[in-house]
RNA sequence: GCCCCGGUAGCUCAGUUGGAUAGAGCAUGGGAUUUCUAAUCCCAGGGUCGCAGGUUCAAGUCCUGCCCGGGGUGCCA
C-alpha cells in the first residue's frame, strides 16, 4: 500500500472544506526530511492561515481534530508555525508488513489508470559498433520500461535502429573496393567493421585536405582580428571597456577552438599518410565522398545489387550489436529501424504540403514554426529525406499500430530543439491525444570534464567499457574473497560479471538523468558507497543468514510466524520497506530512475544498521528470530525487485 | 546574435517542484571486529547554495539583472 497516498486520501475531504481546489494543498503532504519530525508531514496550514487570515496553528489543530487517522497514525503533533507531524503507528506498520510479506508484488498495487507507453531508446547505428554515447539511452530506457511495466502500464519498447543511412553506403563502397574475401567469409562482422573504418578514414582524409586551407585562413583572420582588438586603445567608457574585454576573451576562445580543429584534421590526414596502403587508396579514390553518396542513393532507390548487399550485411551488423545487449541483459519488443519507414517518407511530405504546413525554401521542403527561428526541413534540396521526416512517419505508424497514450524518446538532451519542432509539427498534424515526451539526458564526461574519449580521441567502445567494468569487479572480488574464501573460481567470475555490469549501469542510473556526469573507472572499481554493489552485498547478507541458519525462508514466509517491532533499527527498516511504492511512483511521475536508486540505498543502509544492531540467528527468543528473519526476507526481496526494475541482477553469495 | 541547460562541502553529485537546523558518497581524522559476509557500522571536521536585487508566513527551489561554464542554432543524426 502507498501510505502517502492513503494519508492524502484521508485529508482530502477535510481540505476541500477549506479550499475550492485542494489539490495543491494535498501536495504539501509528504514524507518528512528529518526523522525527528515523525514519518510524514502536512504543511497546508500555513498557506491556509494566510488565505483565511487566521493563525495557522489554529487551523492545523482544527484539521487534526477532523481528519480520521487513528487507525494508522499516532496522535498528530503540531509544530513550529503550523506543521502537522504524523507518525505511523506500529500496529499499522505491522499490518502493512504482513500484507507485503505474502504478496508477490511486495504490497505495491498496480496503477488504477494503466496507460500504453511506447518507449523509443538505444537506437544505435548498426553499421558502427556501439560506444559510450549509447549507454545512457540504453540503460535509462530499459529501466523506464521495466518500471512502467511494474507499475501496471502497457509498455512497448522499440529500438529505432539507424539501419538506412550513409553508413551503409560506406560499407557497400568499402565492400566493392577494399574487401578481403577470405576475411569476410570467416569473420564477416569484423571485416565489415574494418571496411567501415577504412572508408571513414579516407573520407576524413579528403574532407580534411579540403578543409585545411579554409581552417588556416580562418585561423589567420581570427589572429589578425585578435591582434587588432588587442592593439586597440582602451575605451574610457567603462561599459564599452568591459564589452571589449569580453570580445577579446571570445576571440581567444574561438582561436583555441580553431587550433584544436586544425590539430584534429591534421591528425586524420597524418593517419592516412603514414600508412602506405591507406595513402595509395586515398590517391586512387579521390572522389570517394561523392561515390559513397551515390551508393547510398542507389540503395535508397532500390538498386538490386546494393539492396542485396544491404540484406546480407544488416543481420550481421545487428548480430554484433546483439552481443552488447546480451552482456547488458537488454531486449526490445520491436525493432522498426529507419529502413522500415523508407517507403512512407514521400507520403509524409505530401501530407504536410497538402495541409499547407510545408513549403519550398531554398529548394528544400520546410515546415516553419512560430516558436522556432529555423524551420524543420523534411526534404533536402537534393530530394533526400531527413531524420525529421522519418520521425514523423514513425509517430504516425506508432499511433496507428499501438494507439499509445504517450511516446517517450530517450535521447541525448542536445536534440531538444529537434524534438520541440517534431512535437509541434505532430500536434499540427492532429496528434493531440498522445503525450510526446523527450526524455533527455546529459553527456558522459571524462575526468577532464570533456566528453569521454579514448586517448586517441575516439569514442570509447561499449564492449571495452563493459569488459573494463567486469575486470575491475573481478579484481575486487578476488581481493576480498582472498580472506573469506567463500567462492570458487567459477563463482568469482559469475559474481564479477553481475557486479561489473551492475556497477556500470548503476553509475548511470544514480545520476539525475538531465545532468552531465563524470565517468570514473576508479570510482566504479571502488564498488563502495552509493553503488549497486552495496545493495547487492546487502542482498547477499540476507541470503547468507538463511543459509547459515538452515532456514527454509519460503515456508517461514507462509507460516503463522509474525513480525514484531522492538528496536529502533527494526522500526526504521520496516518504515523504509513500506516506502517502496512511493519511490516507484516518483520514478513514474518524472521518468527518473534515480528516485529508485536513492530509495534502495536508504533501504540497504537501514538494513546494514539493523544487521549490526539486531542479531537474527542469535535472537533471544524463537519468535523474535522469526520476526527478524521475515524482515530480512522482505528486505532481500525488495532489493532484488528494485534492482531488477533497474535492469540489475543480484547474486546469492559474494 | 538568439535559444536551452548548469553553477550546492576539497572532489563527484542529490535536493521529492516553496517548508523546520541544506544532504549523501568519496577523500580527511578518530573509533568498533573471537562477525548471522568488515564490500560493514559509529563519531568528527568541512557551506556566502555563482553575484545582486525582488516576490512571501517561509527561497538552494519562483521572478529580474549580471558573472562563469556547457550545449544547440536550414539541408548530419
Amino acid at each position: 500500500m502507498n501510505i502517502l497516498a492513503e494519508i492524502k486520501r484521508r485529508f482530502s475531504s477535510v481540505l476541500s472544506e477549506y479550499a475550492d481546489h485542494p489539490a495543491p494543498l494535498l501536495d504539501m503532504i509528504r514524507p518528512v526530511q528529518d526523522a525527528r519530525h515523525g514519518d510524514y508531514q502536512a504543511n497546508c496550514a500555513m498557506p491556509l492561515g494566510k488565505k483565511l487570515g487566521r493563525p495557522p496553528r489554529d487551523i492545523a489543530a482544527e484539521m487534526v481534530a477532523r481528519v480520521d487517522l487513528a487507525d494508522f497514525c499516532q496522535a498528530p503533533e503540531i509544530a513550529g508555525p503550523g506543521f502537522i507531524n504524523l507518525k505511523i503507528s506500529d500496529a499499522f506498520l505491522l499490518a502493512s508488513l504482513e500484507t507485503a510479506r505474502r504478496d508477490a508484488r511486495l504490497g505495491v498495487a498496480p496503477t488504477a489508470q494503466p496507460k500504453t507507453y511506447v518507449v523509443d531508446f538505444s537506437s544505435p547505428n548498426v553499421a558502427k559498433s556501439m560506444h559510450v554515447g549509447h549507454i545512457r539511452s540504453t540503460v535509462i530506457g530499459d529501466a523506464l520500461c521495466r518500471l512502467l511495466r511494474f507499475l501496471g502500464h502497457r509498455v512497448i519498447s522499440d529500438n529505432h535502429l539507424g539501419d538506412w543511412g550513409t553508413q551503409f553506403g560506406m560499407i557497400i563502397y568499402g565492400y566493392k573496393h577494399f574487401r578481403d574475401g577470405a576475411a569476410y567469409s570467416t569473420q564477416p562482422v569484423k571485416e565489415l567493421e574494418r571496411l567501415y573504418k577504412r572508408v571513414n578514414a579516407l573520407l576524413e582524409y579528403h574532407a580534411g585536405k579540403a578543409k585545411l586551407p579554409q581552417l588556416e585562413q580562418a585561423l589567420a583572420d581570427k589572429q589578425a582580428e585578435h591582434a587588432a582588438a588587442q592593439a586597440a586603445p582602451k575605451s574610457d567608457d567603462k561599459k564599452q571597456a568591459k564589452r571589449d574585454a569580453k570580445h577579446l576573451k571570445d576571440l581567444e576562445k574561438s582561436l583555441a577552438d580553431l587550433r584544436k580543429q586544425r590539430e584534429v584534421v591534421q591528425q586524420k590526414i597524418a593517419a592516412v599518410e603514414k600508412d602506405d596502403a591507406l595513402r595509395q587508396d586515398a590517391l586512387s579514390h579521390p572522389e570517394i565522398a561523392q561515390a559513397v553518396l551515390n551508393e547510398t542513393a542507389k540503395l535508397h532507390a532500390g538498386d538490386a545489387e546494393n539492396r542485396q548487399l544491404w540484406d546480407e550485411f544488416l543481420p550481421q551488423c545487428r548480430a554484433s550489436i546483439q552481443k552488447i545487449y546480451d552482456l547488458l541483459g537488454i531486449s526490445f519488443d520491436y525493432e522498426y529501424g529507419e529502413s522500415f519507414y523508407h517507403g512512407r517518407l514521400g507520403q509524409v511530405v505530401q501530407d504536410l504540403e497538402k495541409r499547407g504546413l510545408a513549403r519550398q525554401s531554398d529548394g528544400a521542403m520546410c515546415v516553419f514554426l512560430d516558436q522556432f527561428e529555423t524551420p524543420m526541413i523534411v526534404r533536402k534540396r537534393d530530394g533526400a529525406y531527413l531524420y525529421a521526416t522519418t520521425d514523423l512517419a514513425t509517430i504516425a505508424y506508432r499511433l496507428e499500430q499501438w494507439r499509445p497514450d504517450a511516446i517517450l524518446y530517450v535521447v541525448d538532451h542536445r536534440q531538444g530543439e529537434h524534438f520541440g519542432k517534431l512535437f509541434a509539427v505532430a500536434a499540427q498534424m492532429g496528434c493531440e491525444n498522445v503525450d510526446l515526451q523527450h526524455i533527455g539526458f546529459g553527456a558522459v564526461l571524462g575526468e577532464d570534464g570533456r566528453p569521454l574519449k579514448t586517448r586517441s580521441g575516439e569514442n570509447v567502445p561499449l564492449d571495452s567499457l563493459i569488459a573494463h567494468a567486469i575486470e575491475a569487479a573481478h579484481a575486487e572480488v578476488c581481493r576480498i574473497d582472498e580472506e573469506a574464501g567463500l567462492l570458487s573460481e567459477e563463482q568469482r567470475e559469475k559474481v564479477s560479471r553481475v557486479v561489473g555490469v551492475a556497477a556500470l549501469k548503476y553509475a548511470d542510473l544514480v545520476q539525475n538523468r538531465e545532468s552531465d556526469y563524470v565517468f570514473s573507472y576508479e570510482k566504479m572499481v571502488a564498488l563502495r558507497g552509493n553503488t549497486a554493489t552495496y545493495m547487492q552485498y546487502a542482498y547477499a547478507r540476507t541470503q547468507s543468514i538463511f543459509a547459515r541458519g538452515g532456514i527454509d525462508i519460503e515456508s517461514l514466509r507462509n507460516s503463522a510466524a509474525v513480525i514484531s517491532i522492538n528496536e529502533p533499527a527494526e522500526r526504521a527498516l520496516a518504515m523504509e520497506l513500506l516506502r517502496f511504492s512511493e519511490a516507484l511512483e516518483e520514478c513514474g511521475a518524472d521518468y527518473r530512475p534515480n528516485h529508485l536508486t536513492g530509495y534502495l540505498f536508504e533501504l540497504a543502509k537501514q538494513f546494514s544498521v539493523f544487521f549490526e544492531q539486531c542479531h537474527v540467528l542469535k535472537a533471544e527468543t524463537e519468535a523474535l528470530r522469526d520476526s527478524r528473519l521475515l524482515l530480512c526476507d522482505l528486505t532481500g526481496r525488495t532489493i532484488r525487485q528494485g534492482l531488477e526494475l533497474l535492469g540489475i541482477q543480484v547474486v546469492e553469495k559474494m
Side-chain angles (χ1 to χ4, degrees):
Chain A
M1 139 181 258
N2 187 324
I3 298 178
L4 182 57
E6 183 61 19
I7 295 176
K8 286 185 182 183
R9 205 178 65 75
R10 304 285 178 99
F11 266 90
S12 90
S13 63
V14 174
L15 279 172
S16 60
E17 291 171 33
Y18 290 89
D20 295 336
H21 304 286
L25 294 169
L26 278 173
D27 283 339
M28 294 176 184
I29 301 170
R30 53 186 49 160
V32 294
Q33 295 187 0
D34 187 329
R36 281 172 300 189
H37 300 132
D39 299 318
Y40 292 86
Q41 63 183 65
N43 303 336
C44 22
M46 280 84 78
L48 276 176
K50 179 69 179 170
K51 195 179 139 208
L52 305 175
R54 296 175 47 200
R57 285 188 69 108
D58 290 0
I59 295 177
E62 215 172 271
M63 284 198 295
V64 162
R66 295 164 77 171
V67 177
D68 178 21
L69 298 163
D71 55 331
F72 73 114
C73 283
Q74 299 177 14
E77 283 174 20
I78 295 164
F83 295 103
I84 301 172
N85 292 334
L86 303 173
K87 188 158 179 156
I88 301 301
S89 68
D90 284 357
F92 181 80
L93 253 182
L94 292 173
S96 302
L97 290 173
E98 283 301 321
T99 312
R101 144 193 182 191
R102 294 173 202 280
D103 180 8
R105 291 179 53 91
L106 297 155
V108 180
T111 178
Q113 289 106 24
K115 291 186 187 171
T116 297
Y117 284 93
V118 173
V119 184
D120 179 324
F121 70 101
S122 197
S123 311
N125 274 331
V126 279
K128 308 182 205 173
S129 47
M130 287 178 84
H131 57 78
V132 59
H134 299 110
I135 191 164
R136 298 206 76 181
S137 175
T138 306
V139 169
I140 295 169
D142 179 57
L144 289 177
C145 288
R146 292 167 184 265
L147 278 159
L148 291 169
R149 238 173 232 142
F150 187 77
L151 286 170
H153 300 290
R154 174 183 175 223
V155 177
I156 293 145
S157 58
D158 187 10
N159 192 7
H160 193 66
L161 294 171
D163 58 2
W164 197 243
T166 317
Q167 66 272 26
F168 273 97
M170 289 162 71
I171 297 189
I172 290 172
Y173 186 88
Y175 183 84
K176 288 180 178 174
H177 296 91
F178 307 125
R179 84 166 171 276
D180 175 340
Y184 183 72
S185 58
T186 52
Q187 288 186 294
V189 177
K190 212 171 156 196
E191 175 61 6
L192 289 178
E193 176 115 24
R194 187 189 71 86
L195 292 171
Y196 175 84
K197 282 188 180 154
R198 191 166 196 88
V199 172
N200 195 41
L202 296 176
L203 285 173
E204 281 179 335
Y205 171 82
H206 286 299
K209 276 285 195 191
K211 200 174 162 195
L212 201 54
Q214 294 169 28
L215 261 179
E216 297 284 10
Q217 186 60 49
L219 203 53
D221 292 351
K222 211 43 110 179
Q223 248 155 359
E225 202 184 329
H226 181 251
Q230 234 173 1
K234 207 171 167 188
S235 171
D236 293 332
D237 181 4
K238 259 192 175 165
K239 268 198 158 169
Q240 186 59 41
K242 211 170 152 191
R243 265 202 297 273
D244 290 347
K246 179 158 166 44
H247 182 59
L248 199 63
K249 219 174 146 188
D250 285 347
L251 282 172
E252 276 159 17
K253 235 171 78 178
S254 41
L255 266 176
D257 243 38
L258 283 168
R259 290 203 182 97
K260 178 81 193 169
Q261 275 183 48
R262 184 177 59 179
E263 193 193 326
V264 169
V265 167
Q266 283 169 337
Q267 272 174 7
K268 308 248 179 200
I269 293 173
V272 168
E273 283 179 342
K274 73 177 182 212
D275 181 314
D276 282 341
L278 269 175
R279 204 180 54 226
Q280 281 305 321
D281 285 348
L283 287 173
S284 46
H285 297 263
E287 305 292 333
I288 189 168
Q290 190 53 49
V292 163
L293 283 181
N294 290 345
E295 297 294 0
T296 311
K298 273 162 73 183
L299 171 65
H300 289 183
D303 174 81
E305 184 190 11
N306 282 11
R307 179 67 200 215
Q308 188 256 319
L309 287 174
W310 183 83
D311 283 335
E312 190 177 320
F313 296 158
L314 185 67
Q316 297 175 7
C317 294
R318 181 60 191 78
S320 99
I321 285 178
Q322 186 57 39
K323 283 191 198 148
I324 305 271
Y325 288 143
D326 287 345
L327 282 170
L328 294 175
I330 283 169
S331 61
F332 301 87
D333 299 325
Y334 296 94
E335 283 191 343
Y336 293 129
E338 289 170 354
S339 61
F340 179 79
Y341 299 98
H342 181 241
R344 301 163 182 257
L345 303 182
Q347 190 63 44
V348 168
V349 176
Q350 276 177 32
D351 271 7
L352 287 166
E353 271 189 276
K354 217 164 36 190
R355 291 167 187 262
L357 293 171
R359 62 178 167 85
Q360 294 261 358
S361 168
D362 292 336
M365 191 58 73
C366 299
V367 182
F368 288 89
L369 296 153
D370 293 342
Q371 316 90 295
F372 296 95
E373 215 171 311
T374 56
M376 183 169 88
I377 300 177
V378 291
R379 197 178 61 210
K380 296 201 285 186
R381 205 170 6 204
D382 66 5
Y385 300 108
L386 296 107
Y387 77 137
T389 330
T390 313
D391 280 352
L392 282 169
T394 305
I395 292 176
Y397 179 80
R398 286 172 176 166
L399 293 188
E400 179 187 309
Q401 194 68 16
W402 298 305
R403 308 227 165 263
D405 299 291
I407 304 178
L408 309 183
Y409 294 85
V410 187
V411 180
D412 189 331
H413 67 188
R414 282 177 300 189
Q415 291 190 43
E417 191 167 323
H418 162 69
F419 285 108
K421 289 176 180 173
L422 180 70
F423 299 164
V425 173
Q428 291 193 37
M429 292 190 78
C431 306
E432 286 111 350
N433 294 330
V434 61
D435 180 19
L436 300 172
Q437 291 260 5
H438 175 205
I439 310 301
F441 53 81
V444 180
L445 307 177
E447 306 204 27
D448 57 355
R450 311 291 309 169
L452 187 68
K453 301 276 174 180
T454 61
R455 258 174 306 160
S456 54
E458 307 288 314
N459 282 318
V460 182
L462 210 38
D463 52 2
S464 93
L465 213 55
I466 296 169
H468 255 90
I470 293 174
E471 241 171 72
H474 189 254
E476 196 76 350
V477 166
C478 293
R479 185 182 66 75
I480 289 161
D481 195 48
E482 213 52 49
E483 276 178 52
L486 287 169
L487 306 171
S488 67
E489 182 50 37
E490 199 182 321
Q491 284 172 318
R492 284 181 181 187
E493 289 193 0
K494 160 108 169 45
V495 170
S496 309
R497 276 197 301 278
V498 172
V499 167
V501 171
L504 186 63
K505 287 188 174 184
Y506 195 87
D508 207 304
L509 293 164
V510 72
Q511 219 62 42
N512 178 335
R513 63 175 161 76
E514 314 216 63
S515 47
D516 296 346
Y517 77 93
V518 175
F519 184 93
S520 153
Y521 279 118
E522 213 177 291
K523 246 165 113 178
M524 251 175 43
V525 175
L527 307 175
R528 272 188 306 216
N530 187 357
T531 63
T533 318
Y534 182 79
M535 268 70 93
Q536 289 169 320
Y537 180 65
Y539 175 79
R541 296 218 279 190
T542 63
Q543 303 309 298
S544 157
I545 291 174
F546 306 149
R548 180 60 65 101
I551 311 291
D552 177 354
I553 193 63
E554 257 186 66
S555 48
L556 182 68
R557 191 186 301 153
N558 297 311
S559 73
V562 291
I563 301 174
S564 62
I565 287 173
N566 316 285
E567 304 289 325
E570 290 173 323
R571 187 181 193 282
L573 178 61
M575 200 59 225
E576 208 55 51
L577 282 167
L578 292 183
R579 286 210 225 268
F580 187 41
S581 95
E582 279 170 36
L584 297 180
E585 235 151 76
E586 282 175 18
C587 291
D590 56 12
Y591 311 113
R592 282 207 277 237
N594 65 316
H595 296 299
L596 181 53
T597 62
Y599 167 78
L600 289 172
F601 184 47
E602 285 306 316
L603 176 62
K605 272 200 284 196
Q606 289 304 342
F607 176 73
S608 292
V609 173
F610 164 85
F611 186 90
E612 300 273 333
Q613 296 183 4
C614 305
H615 209 285
V616 178
L617 296 177
K618 288 188 205 153
E620 292 82 2
T621 65
E622 196 169 326
L624 186 58
R625 192 195 68 153
D626 285 352
S627 161
R628 287 179 177 170
L629 281 167
L630 288 169
L631 280 175
C632 288
D633 181 44
L634 258 176
T635 304
R637 288 165 63 208
T638 305
I639 291 175
R640 189 176 57 204
Q641 178 70 71
L643 288 176
E644 189 188 312
L645 296 180
L646 298 172
I648 292 172
Q649 296 178 291
V650 291
V651 288
E652 304 302 301
K653 261 205 295 191
M654 62 189 282

